[in-house]
Amino acid sequence: MRRVYIETYGCQMNVADSELIVGVLVREGFVRTDDPAAADVLLVNTCAVRDHAEQRVLSRLGELKGFKRPGRVLGVVGCMAQRLGPRLLERVPQVDLVIGPDGYRGLPELIARAHQGERAAEVEFKTWEHYEDVPPARGERVSAFVTVQRGCDYRCTFCIVPMTRGAERSRKLADVVREARDLAAAGTTEVTLLGQTVNSYHDGEHDFADLLRAVGAVPGVRRLRFTSPYPTDFTDRVLAALAGTPAACEHVHLPVQSGSSRVLKRMLRRYDRERYLAVVAALRGAVPGIALTTDIIVGFPGETEDDFQETLSLVEEVGFDDAYTFKYSPREGTPALKLKDHVADDVAGERLERLVAAVRCGAKRKNVALVGTAHEVLVEGRAKRGALLQARTRTNKVALLEGPDEWIGTYARVRLTGTTGSTFTAWPLESEGEKGGIAVVG
Ligand code: SAH
Ligand code: F3S
């Protein structure tokens, strides 16, 4: 029995891709292992969005090469593999194979060639590729990622993704629904649809509104999520589908990138500040109580202190539930590299600190106001530290509660009892009053 070990960096789509990659190898008789020392094939599924992500992979490869023995194969796959291709083989001599996001079908062949001593890179784009016939090797049952769209046709000037994942393409609605049915039959109750601009989904016949309604109608799918949508692709049809699909959760991750219309224009985002705020208002109108999270970049070329102030004021105005915040990272081959007025690193770093503080402050204000409210949660597992269970509300808030292992994978009604500002403590509603206090986790 041959064993494959895979480590995943980057976004949820990479998590889903790793399940496909293992799926390709399971068809060849492999089993997955969590122990790199026991693996015949070691793979690292990589991200190229920021330089930091690539540096982490390079240092990790330095460690993983220590597990190489004669006959064992070390491979780099994913976006960094696509971006660097054969250059990666030159840079890390212990790497045997390099495969980009459209080439995972070729993995068994490249492993065989590696056994012959041949090192190879497979970085061809295949715009038809959806791995439709590959059953993903999913570890977890209750919640599943389902990729519905690969690639990206947008051209945000900072972003490497169109160069690493190729042209946008959508799976057929019927194929997605079939996968959701199979998942539900196997006990999955939460499905997250994935795409780089997932709400621009169109399979030639059906749009994202159709997809939401169709997956939401699959018996057993109790929670439907998606990531990441593009702000201007929330059409009236999609908003109506969101409002009219009970399984669709009251949370949207809506990347804004900047609060300054001037910067948004230089980023080639397809909206300005006002349009973004209008989308926020439309989402809140369609789905009352909806939680909103976002991605923000600071230090984009040409960003002035005034521009940054507009980002801070947008954060305040929208009242995000949370945000991923990044310092702009120049990426080889992206249009932003040609823009003038690069922001000094210390200035960007200082802006990032102020932004993080503003995001935390806004999130805390929102979360404190939620203490005392009742929610349905999905119990996901044991919390990382301590003996509490970790659960998630439909609005994507993490709540910790006391309870037995049997609750894992099930739904419960809870009351939020306290917050650190970002996560909550909760009591199951049935046993409310019976239990002693659960300490607020600080
Ligand atoms: N459409 C994808 C975007 C993938 S990149 C999605 O929404 O999932 C994820 C986030 O990384 C982006 O929203 C952006 O905020 C950030 N990002 C992308 N390129 C970057 C760069 N060059 N420097 C800093 N952050 C970047
Ligand atoms: Fe990147 Fe913009 Fe597409 S952030 S993934 S180019 S929508």
Side-chain angles (χ1 to χ4, degrees), residues 11-13 47-51 151-152 154 156-161 195-198 227-230 253-257 267 269 294-298 300 324-331 334 336:
C11 63
Q12 284 117 320
M13 193 169 288
C47 172
V49 163
R50 281 168 296 276
D51 184 57
C152 184
Y154 290 46
C156 307
T157 53
F158 52 80
C159 187
I160 193 84
V161 171
Q196 296 300 335
T197 55
V198 69
T227 199
S228 284
Y230 193 85
H253 183 69
L254 193 66
V256 65
Q257 315 300 359
M267 288 176 163
R269 299 290 286 184
T294 197
D295 291 344
I296 303 170
I297 296 174
V298 299
F300 186 75
Y324 294 104
T325 51
F326 309 106
K327 206 158 50 161
Y328 168 67
S329 172
R331 308 309 292 135
T334 58

Side-chain angles (χ1 to χ4, degrees), residues 381-390 400-405 408:
R382 286 278 157 206
K384 282 195 193 89
R385 278 173 296 157
L388 298 174
L389 292 170
Q390 178 174 312
L400 304 178
L401 68 155
E402 270 179 26
D405 280 349
I408 295 170

Side-chain angles (χ1 to χ4, degrees), residues 216-234:
V218 170
V221 174
R222 179 154 166 176
R223 285 187 173 186
L224 178 57
R225 301 183 185 278
F226 53 90
T227 199
S228 284
Y230 193 85
T232 47
D233 289 315
F234 276 107

Side-chain angles (χ1 to χ4, degrees), residues 1-284:
M1 192 85 89
R2 290 189 292 170
R3 291 185 170 80
V4 55
Y5 170 83
I6 189 163
E7 240 170 60
T8 307
Y9 294 81
C11 63
Q12 284 117 320
M13 193 169 288
N14 262 9
V15 175
D17 276 358
S18 286
E19 294 170 348
L20 279 174
I21 290 162
V22 175
V24 166
L25 292 181
V26 164
R27 291 204 298 202
E28 304 289 315
F30 277 81
V31 291
R32 189 172 185 164
T33 175
D34 292 331
D35 179 9
D40 303 284
V41 173
L42 297 122
L43 298 174
V44 184
N45 192 2
T46 60
C47 172
V49 163
R50 281 168 296 276
D51 184 57
H52 176 71
E54 294 199 353
Q55 294 308 323
R56 269 178 67 204
V57 165
L58 287 174
S59 79
R60 187 60 185 141
L61 285 173
E63 292 164 13
L64 285 176
K65 71 189 184 197
F67 294 105
K68 274 206 71 175
R69 304 277 179 279
R72 290 190 178 171
V73 175
L74 178 60
V76 183
V77 301
C79 287
M80 182 183 173
Q82 181 71 38
R83 190 179 89 73
L84 293 173
R87 283 190 280 168
L88 204 46
L89 295 174
E90 285 164 31
R91 182 144 183 192
V92 191
Q94 290 81 2
V95 168
D96 302 290
L97 60 88
V98 170
I99 306 183
D102 283 348
Y104 299 143
R105 245 170 235 289
L107 190 52
E109 190 197 320
L110 261 62
I111 291 170
R113 278 160 63 183
H115 285 136
Q116 311 295 315
E118 199 184 325
R119 303 169 69 220
E122 159 67 52
V123 290
E124 202 187 311
F125 284 122
K126 302 184 179 82
T127 48
W128 45 266
E129 185 58 278
H130 282 296
Y131 302 103
E132 214 56 78
D133 56 315
V134 179
R138 293 190 169 99
E140 201 199 341
R141 290 263 83 138
V142 89
S143 181
F145 292 131
V146 175
T147 301
V148 300
Q149 177 197 56
R150 300 182 73 87
C152 184
D153 276 352
Y154 290 46
R155 289 290 176 271
C156 307
T157 53
F158 52 80
C159 187
I160 193 84
V161 171
M163 295 164 68
T164 62
R165 287 193 167 270
E168 176 185 324
R169 67 216 93 134
S170 294
R171 288 173 71 188
K172 289 279 173 215
L173 179 138
D175 291 329
V176 177
V177 169
R178 188 175 358 91
E179 185 169 359
R181 281 216 186 92
D182 291 348
L183 282 166
T188 296
T189 58
E190 180 179 65
V191 170
T192 304
L193 307 177
L194 300 180
Q196 296 300 335
T197 55
V198 69
N199 53 341
S200 76
Y201 170 94
H202 207 292
D203 74 351
E205 198 180 340
H206 299 288
D207 67 358
F208 191 64
D210 293 333
L211 188 71
L212 278 178
R213 290 185 197 274
V215 178
V218 170
V221 174
R222 179 154 166 176
R223 285 187 173 186
L224 178 57
R225 301 183 185 278
F226 53 90
T227 199
S228 284
Y230 193 85
T232 47
D233 289 315
F234 276 107
T235 59
D236 289 343
R237 279 176 54 81
V238 172
L239 289 170
L242 204 54
T245 304
C249 286
E250 294 76 26
H251 166 234
V252 166
H253 183 69
L254 193 66
V256 65
Q257 315 300 359
S258 170
S260 156
S261 294
R262 209 180 64 88
V263 173
L264 289 169
K265 196 166 184 183
R266 286 160 71 89
M267 288 176 163
L268 223 68
R269 299 290 286 184
R270 303 176 178 194
Y271 52 87
D272 59 11
R273 178 189 175 98
E274 283 61 44
R275 182 80 195 277
Y276 182 86
L277 291 171
V279 174
V280 166
L283 279 165
R284 287 186 166 147

Side-chain angles (χ1 to χ4, degrees), residues 342-401:
H342 277 253
V343 176
D345 193 60
D346 56 335
V347 174
E350 186 264 338
R351 284 181 192 163
L352 186 65
E353 274 177 35
R354 281 190 282 160
L355 178 61
V356 168
V359 167
R360 282 212 187 119
C361 174
K364 183 166 187 170
R365 206 182 315 138
K366 280 207 107 102
N367 289 339
V368 165
L370 287 172
V371 172
T373 57
H375 293 259
E376 176 203 84
V377 292
L378 169 57
V379 181
E380 296 179 333
R382 286 278 157 206
K384 282 195 193 89
R385 278 173 296 157
L388 298 174
L389 292 170
Q390 178 174 312
R392 199 174 292 269
T393 67
R394 287 174 59 90
T395 49
N396 214 35
K397 307 278 181 186
V398 171
L400 304 178
L401 68 155

